Amino acid sequence: MAKINSTIPEFKAQAFHNGEFVTVSSEDVKGKWAVFCFYPADFTFVCPTELGDLADHYEELQSAGVEVYSVSTDTHFVHKAWHDASETINKIKFPMIGDPTGAITRGFDVMIEEEGLALRGTFVVNPEGQIKVAEVHDLGIGRSAKDLVRKVKAAQYVAANDGQVCPAKWEPGEETLTPSLDLVGKI
């Protein structure tokens, strides 16, 4: 799997975004926070529930300075067809990247080679292009956008507050920890 603190792979691909086909590259990602959400395929079952959930939280992620990129091994043409055919997918405002060669999917190490599909991989990437959160699910296990938003905000907090860490279930505004000798054995 793609490693924490490793730099995202270089890529250039076509995406369906806001009714148009656009080119998205790894260079476009740098300079801001990003989420990459890999999923197996368009016109499937768990995928639209996840992407719809992510679409429902997109505005909150955008207000936190985060761009979202969904990625499957389908083409950008299939993404448009799915967007046009499904009320759930029609809610999506973030770029839907087509990765028919699997280069991006392999670069994040979530390709199921024998099927040519991606695992359910979620990656939070900092403005320097480094992976700060990596989560991979088997195909039958859907993800929660609400928890993803929490993890993004924790990653942003840790990046902005040197020496502090966020405990389990941390939410913005709650207490954080400053690791020190005084805390050893007291938590």
Side-chain angles (χ1 to χ4, degrees):
M1 182 171 61
K3 293 185 170 85
I4 299 296
N5 293 323
S6 66
T7 301
I8 63 169
E10 289 186 21
F11 70 87
K12 186 174 184 178
Q14 292 297 302
F16 179 69
H17 186 220
N18 291 330
E20 298 180 0
F21 295 133
V22 297
T23 301
V24 176
S25 75
S26 48
E27 286 303 310
D28 297 327
V29 175
K30 293 183 181 166
K32 60 186 171 241
W33 285 87
V35 167
F36 285 84
C37 179
F38 289 85
Y39 63 97
D42 294 2
F43 293 99
T44 56
F45 314 102
V46 176
C47 299
T49 67
E50 292 182 312
L51 295 177
D53 185 33
L54 195 52
D56 292 342
H57 288 84
Y58 183 57
E59 193 173 299
E60 184 177 4
L61 287 163
Q62 287 270 276
S63 64
V66 180
E67 184 56 86
V68 174
Y69 302 93
S70 65
V71 186
S72 78
T73 55
D74 297 293
T75 67
H76 55 294
F77 298 113
V78 178
H79 292 334
K80 181 195 183 315
W82 195 26
H83 193 272
D84 292 348
S86 167
E87 284 184 36
T88 300
I89 300 306
N90 188 262
K91 298 188 302 185
I92 293 175
K93 303 291 184 225
F94 47 81
M96 299 178 73
I97 298 175
D99 185 27
T101 67
I104 305 167
T105 305
R106 283 185 191 91
F108 278 85
D109 201 20
V110 290
M111 177 66 90
I112 306 167
E113 290 296 339
E114 59 275 9
E115 297 181 37
L117 302 173
L119 289 165
R120 296 186 191 289
T122 309
F123 301 89
V124 175
V125 178
N126 73 6
E128 291 76 38
Q130 299 170 326
I131 297 170
K132 293 298 175 179
V133 174
E135 180 179 28
V136 179
H137 291 218
D138 196 7
L139 299 184
I141 303 167
R143 296 163 280 190
S144 166
K146 179 181 177 188
D147 197 45
L148 172 62
V149 170
R150 184 190 68 77
K151 290 174 189 177
V152 166
K153 290 181 179 181
Q156 290 176 326
Y157 182 89
V158 169
N161 294 278
D162 192 36
Q164 293 193 23
V165 296
C166 298
K169 302 187 291 184
W170 176 86
E171 294 284 345
E174 291 181 357
E175 221 175 292
T176 58
L177 301 171
T178 304
S180 69
L181 191 56
D182 297 339
L183 285 182
V184 174
K186 296 189 176 142
I187 296 176

